[in-house]
Amino acid sequence: MIRILTLVVSFVFLCTIASGQEIKKGGYYANAANKKFKGTWVYIHEKDTFKVVLTESKKVYSEYIGIYSDFINGKYSYVKAGVRVADYMNDPQFLIVNCAAGTRDPATVKGYFVDRRKNKRGELRMQFLDEENKLLRWTLRNAKRERKGGLYADKSFSVPEDMILEKAD
């Protein structure tokens, strides 16, 4: 988990440098673009329903580079063919973690998805498809090392990997 947080905070750090902000130890780098991703998002197709609730974690400290930043985290539930496959809405841990909107593309967040059923994680990208921010494309893929052979024999996930979510609230 520390390795994941280190990678994400490093990404945010590099994006901040690219945006011209000066990085100061102990500084706080707010991400206003994260706010529009917060809320409940739903995908429904026939008897399949995927629901995700995204929240914003503010002022998360990274010991790795010594700064505070904001992230999007979330929980989900999934019903496939009318059968509940996963429900982590009441889980104390976030399973969609360390997502942050980019400084160059504030309509996209990147982070990680933890798949408990398959005991693995994947790279997650969520991108707005409309100007009203009511449609969100969810794209999940294996981490780079997984695409190059990796640790897991099963390359699939227990949730859909590519779908369009609609804002529910």
Side-chain angles (χ1 to χ4, degrees):
M1 187 65 176
I2 291 174
R3 185 180 286 168
I4 293 170
L5 184 58
T6 300
L7 290 171
V8 171
V9 171
S10 298
F11 173 75
V12 170
F13 174 74
L14 292 173
C15 288
T16 304
I17 289 173
S19 71
Q21 274 186 285
E22 183 182 334
I23 300 296
K24 295 179 184 172
K25 283 268 189 207
Y28 171 49
Y29 300 91
N31 191 334
N34 283 348
K35 284 184 183 178
K36 56 190 170 184
F37 290 91
K38 286 179 16 179
T40 303
W41 298 87
V42 179
Y43 165 81
I44 299 172
H45 179 71
E46 296 175 359
K47 291 186 177 183
D48 296 352
T49 303
F50 181 81
K51 178 179 177 184
V52 61
V53 176
L54 299 176
T55 58
E56 187 176 22
S57 298
K58 293 195 141 307
K59 263 189 149 174
V60 177
Y61 183 72
S62 168
E63 289 186 27
Y64 180 70
I65 56 177
I67 65 165
Y68 294 87
S69 190
D70 301 336
F71 292 102
I72 292 288
N73 295 305
K75 299 179 181 190
Y76 70 96
S77 66
Y78 181 46
V79 174
K80 183 175 183 174
V83 177
R84 186 170 304 282
V85 173
D87 187 355
Y88 298 110
M89 290 296 189
N90 295 316
D91 196 292
Q93 293 183 322
F94 288 114
L95 298 172
I96 298 163
V97 294
N98 301 333
C99 298
T103 54
R104 292 186 184 184
D105 183 7
T108 302
V109 295
K110 294 179 181 177
Y112 296 95
F113 175 82
V114 178
D115 191 334
R116 284 229 183 111
R117 290 183 55 96
K118 299 267 183 153
N119 193 27
K120 63 187 275 188
R121 72 177 178 92
E123 295 174 355
L124 175 62
R125 178 182 173 164
M126 295 178 284
Q127 181 178 26
F128 284 118
L129 297 177
D130 62 334
E131 296 204 12
E132 295 81 30
N133 300 331
K134 300 290 183 190
L135 295 174
L136 189 66
R137 180 171 201 151
W138 165 287
T139 307
L140 179 60
R141 65 184 192 162
N142 286 294
K144 190 179 248 181
R145 71 172 182 240
E146 291 308 307
R147 295 191 302 271
K148 292 183 176 181
L151 305 170
Y152 310 110
D154 186 351
K155 301 296 183 203
S156 66
F157 291 92
S158 64
V159 301
E161 297 171 30
D162 194 355
M163 61 187 146
I164 308 297
L165 302 168
E166 290 186 53
K167 185 90 173 193
D169 60 6

